[in-house]
């Protein structure tokens, strides 16, 4: 498949906003590089990109409307008058090589590591998830995934059934299994996400504990834990579907919610969920809690 990428000059003030806008525009992946070409971004969670000149690269399928991407970026106050960018056609393998160079192991909480499947594992005694996201979302570098991983790492998952709603690469559900869950059910509207989740489950030797479904094919069941890293709007619109997957007393964590949207999501779930404090990382939040009996 052919790809097109946009490289954008950014800085500490704009890099995260550019990344979020590229995701919103439908980018298959977003990468940060130091514009001076020195090694590359894989920030520790909770740290801020501080290079004075960072290049943010968004990758899109070759037929993507890049004028629409540029228009979306220019709606941002700090970019509208000084957006510097370059659009390039890429061969599949060029992008893969660049992206693989940029993805390094990242630690979440005390014991969980997400490790690119082509790199050495830093701590063999840790809970290691080997990951190749393929074309699906979910490497752990995005704050929304990080918020969910940290939440999972803090739960007792032993023997639990976990739903990963919007599973992408399968990163959350596979981490849950590695952290002790008995069964993971991944649901996604994107067939490539289901494929990536199965590949990653195989990579981690947990394929026998994982099932994946398109929403229209999912069987009836209820789970002990639901993680849903989609966006605020589907979280609000699908609240009865999502709550229907969770047992009374079960726990839920939702992300993909910008800070200004968190209250509107909490308001919809609060009749059914005893809510925890909302967690914040950068512009993003996690809304979590326990289902009322
Ligand atoms: C932000 S990614 C999250 C991927 C991964 N769970 C993570 O945390 O990194 C959101 C995923 O939700 C899927 N998605 C979006 N809307 C959905 C819906 N209504 N039902 C199921 N999946 C959905 C997308 O295809 C995408 O794979």
């Amino acid at each position: 498949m052919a790809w097109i990428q946009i490289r954008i000059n950014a800085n500490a003030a704009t890099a995260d906003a550019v990344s979020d806008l590229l995701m919103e525009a439908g980018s298959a992946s977003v990468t940060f590089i130091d514009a001076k070409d020195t090694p590359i971004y894989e920030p520790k969670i909770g740290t801020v990109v501080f290079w004075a000149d960072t290049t943010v690269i968004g990758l899109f399928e070759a037929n993507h409307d890049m004028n629409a991407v540029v228009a979306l970026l220019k709606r941002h106050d700090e970019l509208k008058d000084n957006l510097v960018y370059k659009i390039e056609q890429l061969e599949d393998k060029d992008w893969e090589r660049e992206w693989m160079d940029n993805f390094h192991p990242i630690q979440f909480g005390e014991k969980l590591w997400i490790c690119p499947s082509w790199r050495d594992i830093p701590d063999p005694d840790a809970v290691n998830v080997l990951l190749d996201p393929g074309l699906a979302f979910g490497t752990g570098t995005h704050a929304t995934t990080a918020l969910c991983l940290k939440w999972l790492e803090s739960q007792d998952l032993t023997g639990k059934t976990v739903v990963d709603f919007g599973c992408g690469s399968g990163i959350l559900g596979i981490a849950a299994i590695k952290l002790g869950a008995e069964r993971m059910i991944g649901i996604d509207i994107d067939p490539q996400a289901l494929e990536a989740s199965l590949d990653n489950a195989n990579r981690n030797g947990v394929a026998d504990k994982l099932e994946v479904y398109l929403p229209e094919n999912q069987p009836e069941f209820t789970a002990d834990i639901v993680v849903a890293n989609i966006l605020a709007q589907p979280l609000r619109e699908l609240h009865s579907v999502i709550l229907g997957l969770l047992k009374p007393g079960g726990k839920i964590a939702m992300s993909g919610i910008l800070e200004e949207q968190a209250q509107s999501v909490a308001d919809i779930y609060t009749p059914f969920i005893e809510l925890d404090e909302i967690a914040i990382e950068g512009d993003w939040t996690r809304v979590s809690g326990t289902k009322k009996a």
Side-chain angles (χ1 to χ4, degrees):
M1 185 191 283
W3 297 94
I4 194 161
Q5 77 176 12
I6 181 166
R7 302 173 80 96
I8 298 147
N9 280 3
N11 57 36
T14 56
D16 283 338
V18 169
S19 165
D20 292 343
L21 288 166
L22 289 172
M23 284 292 185
E24 191 184 328
S27 176
S29 102
V30 176
T31 314
F32 290 59
I33 60 173
D34 182 330
K36 290 185 273 311
D37 246 349
T38 44
I40 306 289
Y41 177 71
E42 199 62 43
K44 258 195 121 45
I45 294 309
T47 59
V48 173
V49 180
F50 55 83
W51 295 300
D53 296 295
T54 301
T55 303
V56 185
I57 304 174
L59 181 82
F60 295 84
E61 288 186 15
N63 58 1
H64 201 95
D65 178 358
M66 296 309 283
N67 290 331
V69 175
V70 171
L72 184 68
L73 288 162
K74 284 192 169 170
R75 293 223 300 265
H76 189 276
D77 279 349
E78 293 191 43
L79 299 173
K80 64 172 178 259
D81 297 325
N82 56 358
L83 183 68
V84 179
Y85 65 94
K86 186 173 172 196
I87 293 175
E88 300 161 316
Q89 298 284 344
L90 284 187
E91 290 302 318
D92 215 4
K93 57 183 175 356
D94 294 340
W95 169 71
E96 265 178 35
R97 200 177 311 118
E98 179 159 329
W99 181 82
M100 286 170 82
D101 283 349
N102 296 346
F103 183 22
H104 296 267
I106 322 172
Q107 186 174 14
F108 297 90
E110 300 255 306
K111 50 184 187 264
L112 178 64
W113 282 84
I114 303 297
C115 303
S117 55
W118 54 93
R119 291 199 184 275
D120 291 340
I121 290 174
D123 177 2
D125 297 328
V127 176
N128 290 301
V129 174
L130 303 180
L131 200 85
D132 180 345
L135 294 181
F137 185 101
T139 57
T141 56
H142 199 267
T144 59
T145 313
L147 283 161
C148 293
L149 287 168
K150 286 191 222 168
W151 183 84
L152 283 169
E153 204 260 357
S154 72
Q155 305 295 310
D156 177 6
L157 300 176
T158 313
K160 301 275 166 63
T161 298
V162 177
V163 171
D164 184 351
F165 195 89
C167 56
S169 64
I171 183 169
L172 301 180
I174 293 168
I177 296 173
K178 297 282 253 199
L179 289 163
E182 185 51 40
R183 182 178 171 217
M184 173 295 217
I185 297 126
I187 298 165
D188 206 294
I189 50 175
D190 178 359
Q192 282 179 332
L194 304 187
E195 204 177 305
S197 295
L198 288 172
D199 284 350
N200 282 314
N202 273 315
R203 205 164 263 126
N204 286 280
V206 300
D208 57 329
K209 298 191 171 181
L210 171 137
E211 298 154 48
V212 291
Y213 300 102
L214 293 169
E216 58 269 31
N217 297 338
Q218 81 194 50
E220 282 208 8
F221 62 87
T222 50
D224 305 298
I225 306 272
V226 172
V227 275
N229 180 16
I230 50 176
L231 294 171
Q233 192 182 341
L235 286 170
R236 287 190 297 255
E237 286 173 4
L238 295 173
H239 72 278
S240 53
V241 174
I242 293 170
L243 287 165
L245 298 171
L246 189 60
K247 290 179 185 166
K251 294 194 168 180
I252 182 166
M254 296 172 277
S255 195
I257 309 162
L258 289 165
E259 199 171 350
E260 61 270 23
Q261 301 168 327
Q263 198 53 51
S264 69
V265 174
D267 287 347
I268 290 208
Y269 282 83
T270 201
F272 316 100
I273 300 286
E274 200 69 58
L275 288 173
D276 306 325
E277 198 176 321
I278 292 172
I280 303 175
E281 190 162 313
D283 296 335
W284 297 95
T285 63
R286 177 186 70 219
V287 174
S288 66
T290 306
K291 190 172 179 184
K292 296 175 185 172

mmCIF file with all atom_site columns, all heavy atoms in Angstrom, residues 156-179:
data_model
loop_
_atom_site.group_PDB
_atom_site.id
_atom_site.type_symbol
_atom_site.label_atom_id
_atom_site.label_alt_id
_atom_site.label_comp_id
_atom_site.label_asym_id
_atom_site.label_entity_id
_atom_site.label_seq_id
_atom_site.pdbx_PDB_ins_code
_atom_site.Cartn_x
_atom_site.Cartn_y
_atom_site.Cartn_z
_atom_site.occupancy
_atom_site.B_iso_or_equiv
_atom_site.pdbx_formal_charge
_atom_site.auth_seq_id
_atom_site.auth_comp_id
_atom_site.auth_asym_id
_atom_site.auth_atom_id
_atom_site.pdbx_PDB_model_num
ATOM 1   N N   . ASP A 1 156 ? -6.700  -5.334  40.475 1.00 0.00 ? 156 ASP A N   1
ATOM 2   C CA  . ASP A 1 156 ? -6.493  -6.781  40.635 1.00 0.00 ? 156 ASP A CA  1
ATOM 3   C C   . ASP A 1 156 ? -7.301  -7.470  39.533 1.00 0.00 ? 156 ASP A C   1
ATOM 4   O O   . ASP A 1 156 ? -8.526  -7.530  39.587 1.00 0.00 ? 156 ASP A O   1
ATOM 5   C CB  . ASP A 1 156 ? -6.971  -7.239  42.015 1.00 0.00 ? 156 ASP A CB  1
ATOM 6   C CG  . ASP A 1 156 ? -6.825  -8.752  42.163 1.00 0.00 ? 156 ASP A CG  1
ATOM 7   O OD1 . ASP A 1 156 ? -6.251  -9.389  41.251 1.00 0.00 ? 156 ASP A OD1 1
ATOM 8   O OD2 . ASP A 1 156 ? -7.301  -9.292  43.173 1.00 0.00 ? 156 ASP A OD2 1
ATOM 9   N N   . LEU A 1 157 ? -6.601  -7.967  38.535 1.00 0.00 ? 157 LEU A N   1
ATOM 10  C CA  . LEU A 1 157 ? -7.284  -8.539  37.363 1.00 0.00 ? 157 LEU A CA  1
ATOM 11  C C   . LEU A 1 157 ? -7.324  -10.065 37.408 1.00 0.00 ? 157 LEU A C   1
ATOM 12  O O   . LEU A 1 157 ? -7.838  -10.699 36.482 1.00 0.00 ? 157 LEU A O   1
ATOM 13  C CB  . LEU A 1 157 ? -6.562  -8.093  36.084 1.00 0.00 ? 157 LEU A CB  1
ATOM 14  C CG  . LEU A 1 157 ? -6.512  -6.581  35.852 1.00 0.00 ? 157 LEU A CG  1
ATOM 15  C CD1 . LEU A 1 157 ? -5.689  -6.256  34.610 1.00 0.00 ? 157 LEU A CD1 1
ATOM 16  C CD2 . LEU A 1 157 ? -7.920  -6.019  35.701 1.00 0.00 ? 157 LEU A CD2 1
ATOM 17  N N   . THR A 1 158 ? -6.819  -10.647 38.471 1.00 0.00 ? 158 THR A N   1
ATOM 18  C CA  . THR A 1 158 ? -6.670  -12.103 38.520 1.00 0.00 ? 158 THR A CA  1
ATOM 19  C C   . THR A 1 158 ? -7.998  -12.801 38.237 1.00 0.00 ? 158 THR A C   1
ATOM 20  O O   . THR A 1 158 ? -8.998  -12.554 38.918 1.00 0.00 ? 158 THR A O   1
ATOM 21  C CB  . THR A 1 158 ? -6.154  -12.537 39.904 1.00 0.00 ? 158 THR A CB  1
ATOM 22  O OG1 . THR A 1 158 ? -5.070  -11.694 40.247 1.00 0.00 ? 158 THR A OG1 1
ATOM 23  C CG2 . THR A 1 158 ? -5.710  -13.988 39.897 1.00 0.00 ? 158 THR A CG2 1
ATOM 24  N N   . GLY A 1 159 ? -7.985  -13.619 37.199 1.00 0.00 ? 159 GLY A N   1
ATOM 25  C CA  . GLY A 1 159 ? -9.153  -14.437 36.860 1.00 0.00 ? 159 GLY A CA  1
ATOM 26  C C   . GLY A 1 159 ? -10.305 -13.664 36.239 1.00 0.00 ? 159 GLY A C   1
ATOM 27  O O   . GLY A 1 159 ? -11.374 -14.223 35.989 1.00 0.00 ? 159 GLY A O   1
ATOM 28  N N   . LYS A 1 160 ? -10.122 -12.377 35.968 1.00 0.00 ? 160 LYS A N   1
ATOM 29  C CA  . LYS A 1 160 ? -11.235 -11.536 35.498 1.00 0.00 ? 160 LYS A CA  1
ATOM 30  C C   . LYS A 1 160 ? -11.449 -11.649 33.982 1.00 0.00 ? 160 LYS A C   1
ATOM 31  O O   . LYS A 1 160 ? -10.535 -11.968 33.230 1.00 0.00 ? 160 LYS A O   1
ATOM 32  C CB  . LYS A 1 160 ? -10.961 -10.070 35.848 1.00 0.00 ? 160 LYS A CB  1
ATOM 33  C CG  . LYS A 1 160 ? -10.779 -9.794  37.335 1.00 0.00 ? 160 LYS A CG  1
ATOM 34  C CD  . LYS A 1 160 ? -12.104 -9.580  38.023 1.00 0.00 ? 160 LYS A CD  1
ATOM 35  C CE  . LYS A 1 160 ? -12.045 -9.626  39.537 1.00 0.00 ? 160 LYS A CE  1
ATOM 36  N NZ  . LYS A 1 160 ? -11.249 -8.612  40.161 1.00 0.00 ? 160 LYS A NZ  1
ATOM 37  N N   . THR A 1 161 ? -12.685 -11.349 33.578 1.00 0.00 ? 161 THR A N   1
ATOM 38  C CA  . THR A 1 161 ? -13.000 -11.200 32.154 1.00 0.00 ? 161 THR A CA  1
ATOM 39  C C   . THR A 1 161 ? -12.996 -9.707  31.837 1.00 0.00 ? 161 THR A C   1
ATOM 40  O O   . THR A 1 161 ? -13.622 -8.920  32.547 1.00 0.00 ? 161 THR A O   1
ATOM 41  C CB  . THR A 1 161 ? -14.398 -11.784 31.853 1.00 0.00 ? 161 THR A CB  1
ATOM 42  O OG1 . THR A 1 161 ? -14.368 -13.161 32.156 1.00 0.00 ? 161 THR A OG1 1
ATOM 43  C CG2 . THR A 1 161 ? -14.771 -11.599 30.400 1.00 0.00 ? 161 THR A CG2 1
ATOM 44  N N   . VAL A 1 162 ? -12.281 -9.350  30.775 1.00 0.00 ? 162 VAL A N   1
ATOM 45  C CA  . VAL A 1 162 ? -12.082 -7.928  30.437 1.00 0.00 ? 162 VAL A CA  1
ATOM 46  C C   . VAL A 1 162 ? -12.584 -7.660  29.018 1.00 0.00 ? 162 VAL A C   1
ATOM 47  O O   . VAL A 1 162 ? -12.253 -8.410  28.096 1.00 0.00 ? 162 VAL A O   1
ATOM 48  C CB  . VAL A 1 162 ? -10.576 -7.569  30.501 1.00 0.00 ? 162 VAL A CB  1
ATOM 49  C CG1 . VAL A 1 162 ? -10.330 -6.125  30.084 1.00 0.00 ? 162 VAL A CG1 1
ATOM 50  C CG2 . VAL A 1 162 ? -10.025 -7.823  31.896 1.00 0.00 ? 162 VAL A CG2 1
ATOM 51  N N   . VAL A 1 163 ? -13.358 -6.602  28.855 1.00 0.00 ? 163 VAL A N   1
ATOM 52  C CA  . VAL A 1 163 ? -13.720 -6.145  27.508 1.00 0.00 ? 163 VAL A CA  1
ATOM 53  C C   . VAL A 1 163 ? -12.835 -4.962  27.144 1.00 0.00 ? 163 VAL A C   1
ATOM 54  O O   . VAL A 1 163 ? -12.705 -4.024  27.923 1.00 0.00 ? 163 VAL A O   1
ATOM 55  C CB  . VAL A 1 163 ? -15.197 -5.693  27.441 1.00 0.00 ? 163 VAL A CB  1
ATOM 56  C CG1 . VAL A 1 163 ? -15.478 -5.015  26.109 1.00 0.00 ? 163 VAL A CG1 1
ATOM 57  C CG2 . VAL A 1 163 ? -16.117 -6.870  27.614 1.00 0.00 ? 163 VAL A CG2 1
ATOM 58  N N   . ASP A 1 164 ? -12.229 -5.049  25.968 1.00 0.00 ? 164 ASP A N   1
ATOM 59  C CA  . ASP A 1 164 ? -11.440 -3.940  25.419 1.00 0.00 ? 164 ASP A CA  1
ATOM 60  C C   . ASP A 1 164 ? -12.283 -3.380  24.270 1.00 0.00 ? 164 ASP A C   1
ATOM 61  O O   . ASP A 1 164 ? -12.283 -3.909  23.166 1.00 0.00 ? 164 ASP A O   1
ATOM 62  C CB  . ASP A 1 164 ? -10.088 -4.488  24.942 1.00 0.00 ? 164 ASP A CB  1
ATOM 63  C CG  . ASP A 1 164 ? -9.153  -3.409  24.436 1.00 0.00 ? 164 ASP A CG  1
ATOM 64  O OD1 . ASP A 1 164 ? -9.601  -2.261  24.284 1.00 0.00 ? 164 ASP A OD1 1
ATOM 65  O OD2 . ASP A 1 164 ? -7.980  -3.733  24.192 1.00 0.00 ? 164 ASP A OD2 1
ATOM 66  N N   . PHE A 1 165 ? -13.058 -2.321  24.586 1.00 0.00 ? 165 PHE A N   1
ATOM 67  C CA  . PHE A 1 165 ? -14.019 -1.770  23.616 1.00 0.00 ? 165 PHE A CA  1
ATOM 68  C C   . PHE A 1 165 ? -13.303 -0.712  22.773 1.00 0.00 ? 165 PHE A C   1
ATOM 69  O O   . PHE A 1 165 ? -12.914 0.328   23.289 1.00 0.00 ? 165 PHE A O   1
ATOM 70  C CB  . PHE A 1 165 ? -15.200 -1.157  24.383 1.00 0.00 ? 165 PHE A CB  1
ATOM 71  C CG  . PHE A 1 165 ? -16.389 -0.881  23.520 1.00 0.00 ? 165 PHE A CG  1
ATOM 72  C CD1 . PHE A 1 165 ? -17.353 -1.863  23.323 1.00 0.00 ? 165 PHE A CD1 1
ATOM 73  C CD2 . PHE A 1 165 ? -16.544 0.335   22.894 1.00 0.00 ? 165 PHE A CD2 1
ATOM 74  C CE1 . PHE A 1 165 ? -18.452 -1.621  22.507 1.00 0.00 ? 165 PHE A CE1 1
ATOM 75  C CE2 . PHE A 1 165 ? -17.634 0.592   22.075 1.00 0.00 ? 165 PHE A CE2 1
ATOM 76  C CZ  . PHE A 1 165 ? -18.598 -0.395  21.895 1.00 0.00 ? 165 PHE A CZ  1
ATOM 77  N N   . GLY A 1 166 ? -13.136 -0.988  21.482 1.00 0.00 ? 166 GLY A N   1
ATOM 78  C CA  . GLY A 1 166 ? -12.278 -0.150  20.633 1.00 0.00 ? 166 GLY A CA  1
ATOM 79  C C   . GLY A 1 166 ? -10.849 -0.624  20.812 1.00 0.00 ? 166 GLY A C   1
ATOM 80  O O   . GLY A 1 166 ? -9.960  0.131   21.197 1.00 0.00 ? 166 GLY A O   1
ATOM 81  N N   . CYS A 1 167 ? -10.625 -1.916  20.523 1.00 0.00 ? 167 CYS A N   1
ATOM 82  C CA  . CYS A 1 167 ? -9.373  -2.563  20.964 1.00 0.00 ? 167 CYS A CA  1
ATOM 83  C C   . CYS A 1 167 ? -8.151  -2.121  20.163 1.00 0.00 ? 167 CYS A C   1
ATOM 84  O O   . CYS A 1 167 ? -7.025  -2.239  20.638 1.00 0.00 ? 167 CYS A O   1
ATOM 85  C CB  . CYS A 1 167 ? -9.506  -4.079  20.951 1.00 0.00 ? 167 CYS A CB  1
ATOM 86  S SG  . CYS A 1 167 ? -9.986  -4.774  19.361 1.00 0.00 ? 167 CYS A SG  1
ATOM 87  N N   . GLY A 1 168 ? -8.310  -1.603  18.929 1.00 0.00 ? 168 GLY A N   1
ATOM 88  C CA  . GLY A 1 168 ? -7.142  -1.171  18.145 1.00 0.00 ? 168 GLY A CA  1
ATOM 89  C C   . GLY A 1 168 ? -6.130  -2.301  18.046 1.00 0.00 ? 168 GLY A C   1
ATOM 90  O O   . GLY A 1 168 ? -6.446  -3.423  17.624 1.00 0.00 ? 168 GLY A O   1
ATOM 91  N N   . SER A 1 169 ? -4.911  -2.045  18.475 1.00 0.00 ? 169 SER A N   1
ATOM 92  C CA  . SER A 1 169 ? -3.838  -3.051  18.418 1.00 0.00 ? 169 SER A CA  1
ATOM 93  C C   . SER A 1 169 ? -4.041  -4.183  19.424 1.00 0.00 ? 169 SER A C   1
ATOM 94  O O   . SER A 1 169 ? -3.275  -5.155  19.411 1.00 0.00 ? 169 SER A O   1
ATOM 95  C CB  . SER A 1 169 ? -2.501  -2.382  18.723 1.00 0.00 ? 169 SER A CB  1
ATOM 96  O OG  . SER A 1 169 ? -2.516  -1.890  20.062 1.00 0.00 ? 169 SER A OG  1
ATOM 97  N N   . GLY A 1 170 ? -5.015  -4.043  20.323 1.00 0.00 ? 170 GLY A N   1
ATOM 98  C CA  . GLY A 1 170 ? -5.225  -5.042  21.382 1.00 0.00 ? 170 GLY A CA  1
ATOM 99  C C   . GLY A 1 170 ? -4.402  -4.757  22.618 1.00 0.00 ? 170 GLY A C   1
ATOM 100 O O   . GLY A 1 170 ? -4.389  -5.538  23.574 1.00 0.00 ? 170 GLY A O   1
ATOM 101 N N   . ILE A 1 171 ? -3.734  -3.618  22.625 1.00 0.00 ? 171 ILE A N   1
ATOM 102 C CA  . ILE A 1 171 ? -2.757  -3.311  23.677 1.00 0.00 ? 171 ILE A CA  1
ATOM 103 C C   . ILE A 1 171 ? -3.358  -3.398  25.083 1.00 0.00 ? 171 ILE A C   1
ATOM 104 O O   . ILE A 1 171 ? -2.736  -3.957  25.989 1.00 0.00 ? 171 ILE A O   1
ATOM 105 C CB  . ILE A 1 171 ? -2.108  -1.923  23.413 1.00 0.00 ? 171 ILE A CB  1
ATOM 106 C CG1 . ILE A 1 171 ? -1.043  -1.594  24.437 1.00 0.00 ? 171 ILE A CG1 1
ATOM 107 C CG2 . ILE A 1 171 ? -3.136  -0.807  23.351 1.00 0.00 ? 171 ILE A CG2 1
ATOM 108 C CD1 . ILE A 1 171 ? -0.202  -0.376  24.058 1.00 0.00 ? 171 ILE A CD1 1
ATOM 109 N N   . LEU A 1 172 ? -4.587  -2.887  25.264 1.00 0.00 ? 172 LEU A N   1
ATOM 110 C CA  . LEU A 1 172 ? -5.140  -2.842  26.622 1.00 0.00 ? 172 LEU A CA  1
ATOM 111 C C   . LEU A 1 172 ? -5.559  -4.241  27.068 1.00 0.00 ? 172 LEU A C   1
ATOM 112 O O   . LEU A 1 172 ? -5.241  -4.683  28.184 1.00 0.00 ? 172 LEU A O   1
ATOM 113 C CB  . LEU A 1 172 ? -6.337  -1.893  26.683 1.00 0.00 ? 172 LEU A CB  1
ATOM 114 C CG  . LEU A 1 172 ? -6.057  -0.442  26.276 1.00 0.00 ? 172 LEU A CG  1
ATOM 115 C CD1 . LEU A 1 172 ? -7.339  0.381   26.373 1.00 0.00 ? 172 LEU A CD1 1
ATOM 116 C CD2 . LEU A 1 172 ? -4.976  0.163   27.161 1.00 0.00 ? 172 LEU A CD2 1
ATOM 117 N N   . GLY A 1 173 ? -6.273  -4.942  26.206 1.00 0.00 ? 173 GLY A N   1
ATOM 118 C CA  . GLY A 1 173 ? -6.768  -6.267  26.583 1.00 0.00 ? 173 GLY A CA  1
ATOM 119 C C   . GLY A 1 173 ? -5.630  -7.263  26.786 1.00 0.00 ? 173 GLY A C   1
ATOM 120 O O   . GLY A 1 173 ? -5.677  -8.098  27.698 1.00 0.00 ? 173 GLY A O   1
ATOM 121 N N   . ILE A 1 174 ? -4.610  -7.169  25.945 1.00 0.00 ? 174 ILE A N   1
ATOM 122 C CA  . ILE A 1 174 ? -3.478  -8.096  26.081 1.00 0.00 ? 174 ILE A CA  1
ATOM 123 C C   . ILE A 1 174 ? -2.694  -7.763  27.349 1.00 0.00 ? 174 ILE A C   1
ATOM 124 O O   . ILE A 1 174 ? -2.282  -8.662  28.095 1.00 0.00 ? 174 ILE A O   1
ATOM 125 C CB  . ILE A 1 174 ? -2.601  -8.071  24.810 1.00 0.00 ? 174 ILE A CB  1
ATOM 126 C CG1 . ILE A 1 174 ? -3.416  -8.657  23.645 1.00 0.00 ? 174 ILE A CG1 1
ATOM 127 C CG2 . ILE A 1 174 ? -1.317  -8.861  25.008 1.00 0.00 ? 174 ILE A CG2 1
ATOM 128 C CD1 . ILE A 1 174 ? -2.829  -8.453  22.282 1.00 0.00 ? 174 ILE A CD1 1
ATOM 129 N N   . ALA A 1 175 ? -2.547  -6.467  27.639 1.00 0.00 ? 175 ALA A N   1
ATOM 130 C CA  . ALA A 1 175 ? -1.909  -6.091  28.914 1.00 0.00 ? 175 ALA A CA  1
ATOM 131 C C   . ALA A 1 175 ? -2.719  -6.658  30.074 1.00 0.00 ? 175 ALA A C   1
ATOM 132 O O   . ALA A 1 175 ? -2.154  -7.177  31.045 1.00 0.00 ? 175 ALA A O   1
ATOM 133 C CB  . ALA A 1 175 ? -1.791  -4.572  29.018 1.00 0.00 ? 175 ALA A CB  1
ATOM 134 N N   . ALA A 1 176 ? -4.048  -6.590  29.973 1.00 0.00 ? 176 ALA A N   1
ATOM 135 C CA  . ALA A 1 176 ? -4.905  -7.114  31.058 1.00 0.00 ? 176 ALA A CA  1
ATOM 136 C C   . ALA A 1 176 ? -4.658  -8.608  31.265 1.00 0.00 ? 176 ALA A C   1
ATOM 137 O O   . ALA A 1 176 ? -4.542  -9.081  32.409 1.00 0.00 ? 176 ALA A O   1
ATOM 138 C CB  . ALA A 1 176 ? -6.371  -6.848  30.743 1.00 0.00 ? 176 ALA A CB  1
ATOM 139 N N   . ILE A 1 177 ? -4.548  -9.346  30.163 1.00 0.00 ? 177 ILE A N   1
ATOM 140 C CA  . ILE A 1 177 ? -4.296  -10.797 30.299 1.00 0.00 ? 177 ILE A CA  1
ATOM 141 C C   . ILE A 1 177 ? -2.934  -11.015 30.954 1.00 0.00 ? 177 ILE A C   1
ATOM 142 O O   . ILE A 1 177 ? -2.791  -11.814 31.884 1.00 0.00 ? 177 ILE A O   1
ATOM 143 C CB  . ILE A 1 177 ? -4.339  -11.497 28.918 1.00 0.00 ? 177 ILE A CB  1
ATOM 144 C CG1 . ILE A 1 177 ? -5.737  -11.393 28.310 1.00 0.00 ? 177 ILE A CG1 1
ATOM 145 C CG2 . ILE A 1 177 ? -3.940  -12.966 29.059 1.00 0.00 ? 177 ILE A CG2 1
ATOM 146 C CD1 . ILE A 1 177 ? -5.818  -11.917 26.887 1.00 0.00 ? 177 ILE A CD1 1
ATOM 147 N N   . LYS A 1 178 ? -1.939  -10.272 30.482 1.00 0.00 ? 178 LYS A N   1
ATOM 148 C CA  . LYS A 1 178 ? -0.598  -10.452 31.062 1.00 0.00 ? 178 LYS A CA  1
ATOM 149 C C   . LYS A 1 178 ? -0.572  -10.068 32.537 1.00 0.00 ? 178 LYS A C   1
ATOM 150 O O   . LYS A 1 178 ? 0.267   -10.534 33.307 1.00 0.00 ? 178 LYS A O   1
ATOM 151 C CB  . LYS A 1 178 ? 0.429   -9.616  30.288 1.00 0.00 ? 178 LYS A CB  1
ATOM 152 C CG  . LYS A 1 178 ? 0.593   -10.035 28.836 1.00 0.00 ? 178 LYS A CG  1
ATOM 153 C CD  . LYS A 1 178 ? 1.428   -11.279 28.685 1.00 0.00 ? 178 LYS A CD  1
ATOM 154 C CE  . LYS A 1 178 ? 2.733   -11.042 28.155 1.00 0.00 ? 178 LYS A CE  1
ATOM 155 N NZ  . LYS A 1 178 ? 3.649   -11.791 27.570 1.00 0.00 ? 178 LYS A NZ  1
ATOM 156 N N   . LEU A 1 179 ? -1.488  -9.175  32.919 1.00 0.00 ? 179 LEU A N   1
ATOM 157 C CA  . LEU A 1 179 ? -1.569  -8.765  34.331 1.00 0.00 ? 179 LEU A CA  1
ATOM 158 C C   . LEU A 1 179 ? -2.453  -9.710  35.145 1.00 0.00 ? 179 LEU A C   1
ATOM 159 O O   . LEU A 1 179 ? -2.720  -9.448  36.311 1.00 0.00 ? 179 LEU A O   1
ATOM 160 C CB  . LEU A 1 179 ? -2.103  -7.331  34.419 1.00 0.00 ? 179 LEU A CB  1
ATOM 161 C CG  . LEU A 1 179 ? -1.142  -6.227  33.952 1.00 0.00 ? 179 LEU A CG  1
ATOM 162 C CD1 . LEU A 1 179 ? -1.888  -4.921  33.675 1.00 0.00 ? 179 LEU A CD1 1
ATOM 163 C CD2 . LEU A 1 179 ? -0.038  -5.987  34.984 1.00 0.00 ? 179 LEU A CD2 1
#
